[in-house]
Amino acid sequence: MYCLQCLLPVLLIPKPTNPALMETHVMFIVLYLVGFFLERKPCTICSLVFLTAVSLICYSGIGNCIFWGNCEGHQCENG
């Protein structure tokens, strides 16, 4: 489970409060995760634990997911 040392801090990165910066945040998280999985090639158990944690966080409520903001069912306005 050494692989999780670099994956779990991704869940602790705070989301920006400004909706205009949300796209940049999502792009950073996605690129970091893709780069991590391509470079480090974590084991299957670590990958499943991380994906389960992300899905549980996203499923737990609106605004909790690291991949989108809390726009309450409508698209965020950038401006």
Side-chain angles (χ1 to χ4, degrees):
M1 295 256 176
Y2 178 74
C3 322
L4 284 176
Q5 287 182 350
C6 295
L7 282 176
L8 289 181
V10 172
L11 299 177
L12 301 175
I13 297 175
K15 291 192 304 186
T17 55
N18 186 355
L21 298 175
M22 194 62 194
E23 293 175 5
T24 306
H25 174 73
V26 170
M27 176 100 46
F28 170 75
I29 296 291
V30 168
L31 288 175
Y32 177 81
L33 290 176
V34 167
F36 178 81
F37 277 93
L38 288 176
E39 181 184 348
R40 301 266 176 104
K41 296 177 182 60
C43 62
T44 306
I45 294 172
C46 292
S47 299
L48 288 176
V49 167
F50 178 74
L51 293 175
T52 303
V54 168
S55 64
L56 287 175
I57 288 172
C58 290
Y59 183 72
S60 68
I62 296 174
N64 294 338
C65 191
I66 61 175
F67 296 114
W68 55 78
N70 49 0
C71 294
E72 305 294 332
H74 62 281
Q75 194 171 18
C76 292
E77 303 256 345
N78 288 340

